[in-house]
Amino acid sequence: MTTSEWPLWEVFVRSRRGLSHTHAGSLHAPDAEMALRNARDLYTRRSEGVSIWVVPSAAITASSPDEKDPFFEPAADKPYRHPTFYEVPEGVRHL
Amino acid sequence: MSVPRTAALALGDDALILSQRLGEWAGHAPVLEEEVALANIALDLLGQARALLSMVGDEDELAYLREEREFTNVQLVERPNGDFAHTIARQLYFSTWQELLYGRLATGEGALAELAAKAVKEVAYHRDHAEQWTLRLGDGTELSHERMRTALAALWRYTGELFQPVEGLEVDWEELREEWTRRITDVVERAGLSLPEGPQGTSWAAGAGRQGIHTEPFGRMLAEMQHLHRSHPGASW
């Protein structure tokens, strides 16, 4: 059994009262159906009413750690990028 | 309504013995994920066994102090694990039967019906797990197909016993057999296999587990299971 036949899957679980799917971990499975079942065993202990997403890890494109700085560095020294100079006129609602 | 002793023991022994067999896979399953799945199923079954045996006596005494001849599980569940395909074939035959039987029992009344209603959700998952693997092995490589075929054939003779009436269970056994055969046929055909030929429930097919007659590997399994309890009788843990 080679690894290529048992690819890695990422598991996202939404708990019964949770609002969004959260990355729970990863696992190996031969296909999506088995990945779902394995995820159920490994990450949900079969609590009812949860939702599981499985995604082949290969389908995920991640931002590169090397480019972290240019990617995420907020240009904090350019205050004009931040809408902090506006005063909200009175009478504006729902803001 | 009291629970019929014969029935609770029969179903309890089925679950206990299969659970013990599945426990043997711990650390030996083909992949980590499958190990977890088999252990999960074993734990479900052990829970069912505990509930069933507790209905008619002390669960530990019943599990650890009875002799081989006093166990009334079907022979199918005591068969050795064999290769992965054998374990899956045994799971497929048994859990399909268990799901159908518990589904019927759940419509009744009393403690047994309550247990069945709870357990049927678990066994539906066991059946699904066995089905998924039957499909993948049957429809997999040439080797896995052959192994799945061999396993289904080897265990076929033990399936007739599943439909022997059990005292205390109000079930239409012939109808259960038909439904079971339909379900199994559907799965094995989808897996590119066919229903094994040969005797299933005739006089010379295997199967007298309900009468306390067991196959040769059962004694050794029981010795391992009961060893500690018998070495330290009365100990609590």
Side-chain angles (χ1 to χ4, degrees):
Chain A
M1 218 170 274
T2 61
T3 321
S4 64
E5 286 161 351
W6 282 70
L8 195 64
W9 299 76
E10 300 300 327
V11 181
F12 298 82
V13 174
R14 184 168 62 75
S15 60
R16 192 174 356 181
R17 306 176 77 167
L19 292 171
S20 57
H21 287 76
T22 310
H23 184 232
S26 52
L27 50 80
H28 288 277
D31 53 48
E33 285 297 308
M34 293 307 281
L36 265 187
R37 286 162 175 80
N38 293 342
R40 184 205 82 141
D41 285 345
L42 288 166
Y43 295 114
T44 72
R45 303 277 170 218
R46 276 179 286 169
S47 319
E48 274 153 63
V50 301
S51 163
I52 304 176
W53 290 345
V54 289
V55 183
S57 299
I60 293 177
T61 308
S63 58
S64 156
D66 300 339
E67 293 165 17
K68 201 172 117 201
D69 286 354
F71 220 70
F72 295 115
E73 184 79 11
D77 58 337
K78 294 175 184 145
Y80 53 82
R81 297 183 71 103
H82 304 282
T84 50
F85 300 104
Y86 304 98
E87 278 177 27
V88 180
E90 268 182 58
V92 174
R93 291 165 171 237
H94 309 302
L95 194 71
Chain B
M1 206 166 107
S2 71
V3 177
R5 185 181 167 84
T6 311
L9 274 182
L11 300 183
D13 286 351
D14 287 348
L16 175 67
I17 300 307
L18 186 55
S19 170
Q20 177 75 13
R21 278 290 185 220
L22 290 175
E24 293 170 11
W25 271 109
H28 301 277
V31 289
L32 187 61
E33 284 80 3
E34 197 46 40
E35 175 133 342
V36 175
L38 291 173
N40 251 322
I41 296 171
L43 287 173
D44 283 346
L45 289 167
L46 189 62
Q48 292 167 19
R50 293 189 59 182
L52 285 157
L53 296 181
S54 300
M55 286 175 180
V56 293
D58 181 279
E59 51 175 316
D60 282 345
E61 268 178 37
L62 287 168
Y64 293 125
L65 293 176
R66 275 182 300 159
E67 304 276 351
E68 183 178 333
R69 290 296 297 263
E70 295 169 274
F71 277 86
T72 56
N73 55 281
V74 289
Q75 291 178 352
L76 176 66
V77 296
E78 77 202 30
R79 297 305 298 158
N81 286 338
D83 63 8
F84 188 63
H86 272 77
T87 292
I88 291 302
R90 191 182 59 198
Q91 286 301 115
L92 180 72
Y93 289 153
F94 182 76
S95 58
T96 304
W97 172 81
Q98 216 188 6
E99 186 187 4
L100 294 171
L101 177 67
Y102 280 21
R104 283 160 174 73
L105 295 179
T107 62
E109 282 175 12
L112 205 55
E114 273 172 40
L115 177 131
K118 244 167 83 179
V120 78
K121 280 192 252 172
E122 294 172 347
V123 298
Y125 176 71
H126 304 172
R127 192 259 312 145
D128 175 75
H129 172 264
E131 269 186 27
Q132 295 294 330
W133 274 116
T134 305
L135 296 177
R136 279 160 184 76
L137 295 175
D139 197 17
T141 64
E142 214 171 290
L143 179 63
S144 75
H145 175 91
E146 186 51 29
R147 285 203 181 192
M148 195 64 227
R149 195 194 62 73
T150 308
L152 287 166
L155 292 169
W156 182 247
R157 70 180 62 194
Y158 298 99
T159 56
E161 191 184 8
L162 296 170
F163 309 102
Q164 281 177 18
V166 175
E167 195 188 312
L169 297 184
E170 301 287 328
V171 173
D172 183 340
W173 296 95
E174 249 336 283
E175 186 244 354
L176 185 67
R177 179 203 294 270
E178 282 165 24
E179 172 80 29
W180 180 87
T181 309
R182 214 170 20 245
R183 297 271 290 266
I184 298 292
T185 308
D186 174 61
V187 179
V188 299
E189 282 180 357
R190 276 194 289 142
L193 297 151
S194 53
L195 217 56
E197 290 174 11
Q200 183 200 30
T202 62
S203 55
W204 55 281
R210 292 272 188 251
Q211 285 81 53
I213 314 279
H214 295 282
T215 60
E216 188 266 339
F218 184 57
R220 266 178 290 152
M221 195 208 92
L222 215 53
E224 189 182 350
M225 185 176 106
Q226 298 183 333
H227 167 72
L228 194 68
H229 193 101
R230 289 187 185 277
S231 305
H232 302 276
S236 59
W237 63 80

